Amino acid sequence: MFDGLDTSGVTFGETKKGDAIDRFPGMSEAEAAEEARREERDNKAAREREQHARLLSFYQQELDRQSDNRIEMAIDEDFYDNDQWSEQDKQTLKERGQMALVYNVIASTVNWVTGSEKRARVDFRILPRRKDSSKPAERKTQLLKYISDVNRSPFHSSRAFEDAVHVGIGWLECGVQDDDDGEPVYDRYEGWRNVLWDSACTEKDLSDARYLFRHKWVDEDVANALVKGREAEIRAATVDHDHYDLGGDNGDDAMDSQEQSLDTFGGTAEMTAYKRGRLRLIECWFRMPTKVKRLRGGEFNGDILDEQSAPHMEAVQSGQSIVVEKVMMRMHYALITTKHLLHIQESPYRHNLFPLSPIWGYRRGRDGLPYGMIRGMRGIQDDINKRASKALHILSTNKTIMDEGAVDDIEDFREEVAR
């Protein structure tokens, strides 16, 4: 989305420099200017470290709070995918000579619900509020229908709905991109394993959330292409396939276990598809109080002023709107690793919202964390599997309880029992 970010102009607010000569008496003008630049670099580095520490603490807090539930969500997904026995139970059955049978009744129920959503798809239509707005409404309908078709939006919506049914939450992303990558406006599915959000929020649209994170394992060369001028910081966060941060301070089992399985070959860490440097890249969207220019009055009342927008400037010049400065919770975007801040800026979107939208299944009343349909069916599914495995073992095994010396010829007796 932000290809080739240039970090040379990253700022964290204006710093009063004053006159270099007055600030550093006894130095020549060139020496004072150099000292002022050095001091500004140090101040900028200190602000970067402070901002990075704050964002990373938010990230670690959500990892800790959501970790147990995310493990349960991964188990819910495993149950749908026919992986319903723990390794310990499988080994116990193997030692007994039993089979770990799976009769997946959960999948049939879930498929009925997700299939109903697919069959219920309908095309939207924008209706005019006034009679003279019928033509603009028709053009908007055609435009949004075109965007939906080129982005295959119904399929992405169905994938997000499937996640909501399986594990309790799915995600859709809506944003803009370069024309070279496809349509400028896009919407697409995002996997639940890659997203963390402010779990203290209560609104389902995240309107009262402070932050949202998307984390992914990225190849080193891809990260260097994405963020310009941060090669040293990216290299410091890069690890090889044997040292993924599984279970560490910044580890997330739900995401990292999948990463490790994708990067191994033949089921062992020693046999890998190929050696590659990877790093955990964390995309942060967060709100922080900022003084901004907003429009008051007219068609764009309440919008953040965009000086590159012709309609905004026309509304100001015509007197329909006036520009006022006020403090608001402004959306910001940052890209970090577990070690450094790579980039930070205000959100490029005027809507001041998160680009990722949640599709909810159920929310736990105790802490607001999500769960899906499968969570309530795992108990009966375990019962079915274990009963079936035990019944097959009993039916396949002939057993006789007898006193010693009850028969004269034990071999004849065994043949009779087997018959």
Side-chain angles (χ1 to χ4, degrees):
M1 178 173 156
F2 300 102
D3 293 337
L5 292 175
D6 183 5
T7 60
S8 59
V10 176
T11 60
F12 298 88
E14 296 297 328
T15 301
K16 294 182 178 180
K17 296 182 179 180
D19 185 76
I21 297 296
D22 294 339
R23 291 170 60 193
F24 304 103
M27 293 186 180
S28 66
E29 184 176 352
E31 291 174 340
E34 179 61 29
E35 185 65 21
R37 286 193 292 269
R38 185 194 62 78
E39 185 180 80
E40 180 60 27
R41 286 195 300 268
D42 292 344
N43 291 338
K44 179 181 177 181
R47 291 193 296 270
E48 282 192 13
R49 288 193 296 270
E50 180 183 359
Q51 189 65 273
H52 176 262
R54 173 188 290 183
L55 293 174
L56 192 61
S57 68
F58 288 156
Y59 176 73
Q60 291 171 335
Q61 176 181 322
E62 289 306 325
L63 280 179
D64 292 341
R65 189 164 191 266
Q66 300 187 37
S67 176
D68 291 341
N69 189 62
R70 285 170 68 82
I71 292 173
E72 292 296 320
M73 292 163 69
I75 295 174
D76 292 338
E77 206 166 53
D78 288 340
F79 264 69
Y80 178 80
D81 295 330
N82 299 300
D83 188 5
Q84 299 179 357
W85 290 86
S86 67
E87 293 301 322
Q88 183 179 359
D89 287 345
K90 286 181 181 179
Q91 184 62 30
T92 301
L93 292 181
K94 184 178 180 180
E95 292 172 356
R96 292 178 185 173
Q98 294 179 231
M99 295 181 62
L101 298 180
V102 174
Y103 288 93
N104 199 340
V105 297
I106 285 179
S108 300
T109 304
V110 170
N111 288 341
W112 183 85
V113 174
T114 56
S116 297
E117 184 272 336
K118 292 180 176 68
R119 294 185 62 184
R121 291 173 183 163
V122 294
D123 283 338
F124 52 82
R125 182 183 178 191
I126 297 176
L127 299 176
R129 293 180 179 271
R130 299 180 299 272
K131 290 183 178 180
D132 58 353
S133 300
S134 57
K135 288 295 183 181
E138 183 178 347
R139 288 194 293 269
K140 291 177 181 177
T141 301
Q142 294 171 352
L143 174 62
L144 292 181
K145 176 59 178 171
Y146 170 77
I147 293 175
S148 174
D149 289 343
V150 296
N151 287 306
R152 300 181 178 89
S153 299
F155 297 97
H156 294 292
S157 299
S158 292
R159 290 187 67 186
F161 179 78
E162 287 175 3
D163 278 356
V165 174
H166 293 174
V167 302
I169 192 169
W171 294 93
L172 286 172
E173 180 187 10
C174 184
V176 293
Q177 62 187 358
D178 292 337
D179 294 344
D180 297 340
D181 298 326
E183 292 299 321
V185 179
Y186 69 87
D187 55 356
R188 59 193 176 202
Y189 161 86
E190 182 58 80
W192 67 268
R193 295 174 187 267
N194 299 331
V195 184
L196 290 167
W197 68 98
D198 182 1
S199 55
C201 72
T202 57
E203 298 296 331
K204 289 189 173 182
D205 61 356
L206 305 185
S207 58
D208 60 338
R210 182 75 187 269
Y211 48 78
L212 181 145
F213 299 99
R214 172 163 50 181
H215 53 188
K216 290 185 178 181
W217 284 97
V218 179
D219 289 336
E220 182 182 1
D221 56 343
V222 174
N224 284 325
L226 179 65
V227 187
K228 305 295 186 182
R230 294 286 184 169
E231 291 80 5
E233 290 83 354
I234 290 172
R235 183 58 191 165
T238 301
V239 295
D240 61 34
H241 67 281
D242 292 327
H243 298 89
Y244 288 151
D245 191 11
L246 301 179
D249 292 339
N250 303 305
D252 176 33
D253 289 338
M255 181 185 75
D256 295 342
S257 58
Q258 187 179 59
E259 172 67 17
Q260 190 177 53
S261 67
L262 290 174
D263 216 40
T264 58
F265 178 80
T268 62
E270 290 76 16
M271 300 176 61
T272 57
Y274 59 95
K275 304 278 186 178
R276 58 198 253 182
R278 305 270 276 173
L279 69 150
R280 188 196 306 275
L281 211 55
I282 306 170
E283 177 185 318
C284 316
W285 295 88
F286 60 100
R287 294 185 172 105
M288 57 186 294
T290 309
K291 183 179 289 187
V292 298
K293 295 180 179 180
R294 305 185 70 176
L295 298 177
R296 177 175 292 175
E299 181 182 357
F300 304 105
N301 182 47
D303 281 8
I304 299 171
L305 176 65
D306 181 1
E307 296 181 355
Q308 305 300 320
S309 171
H312 275 196
M313 301 310 296
E314 183 179 346
V316 173
Q317 294 168 3
S318 65
Q320 297 179 5
S321 302
I322 60 174
V323 179
V324 296
E325 279 194 0
K326 57 188 304 185
V327 176
M328 64 174 293
M329 295 298 287
R330 182 74 168 99
M331 185 69 70
H332 287 68
Y333 164 80
L335 199 62
I336 69 173
T337 69
T338 56
K339 298 180 182 295
H340 296 96
L341 174 67
L342 302 180
H343 181 80
I344 187 170
Q345 67 176 59
E346 289 188 351
S347 171
Y349 301 122
R350 291 204 302 263
H351 54 58
N352 206 43
L353 301 173
F354 295 112
L356 291 163
S357 301
I359 309 297
W360 292 93
Y362 302 111
R363 296 184 75 180
R364 202 159 58 192
R366 182 178 61 196
D367 50 19
L369 295 180
Y371 67 94
M373 284 181 57
I374 296 175
R375 189 75 57 88
M377 295 189 286
R378 276 164 45 182
I380 188 65
Q381 180 67 69
D382 275 334
D383 180 74
I384 292 172
N385 291 341
K386 291 181 178 179
R387 285 176 181 269
S389 181
K390 189 171 184 178
L392 178 62
H393 181 67
I394 292 173
L395 291 173
S396 303
T397 306
N398 294 325
K399 297 180 180 179
T400 302
I401 299 175
M402 57 184 292
D403 294 331
E404 186 177 357
V407 297
D408 295 331
D409 190 337
I410 190 65
E411 295 302 327
D412 289 343
F413 178 73
R414 285 175 177 169
E415 290 180 6
E416 187 67 23
V417 171
R419 194 174 60 171

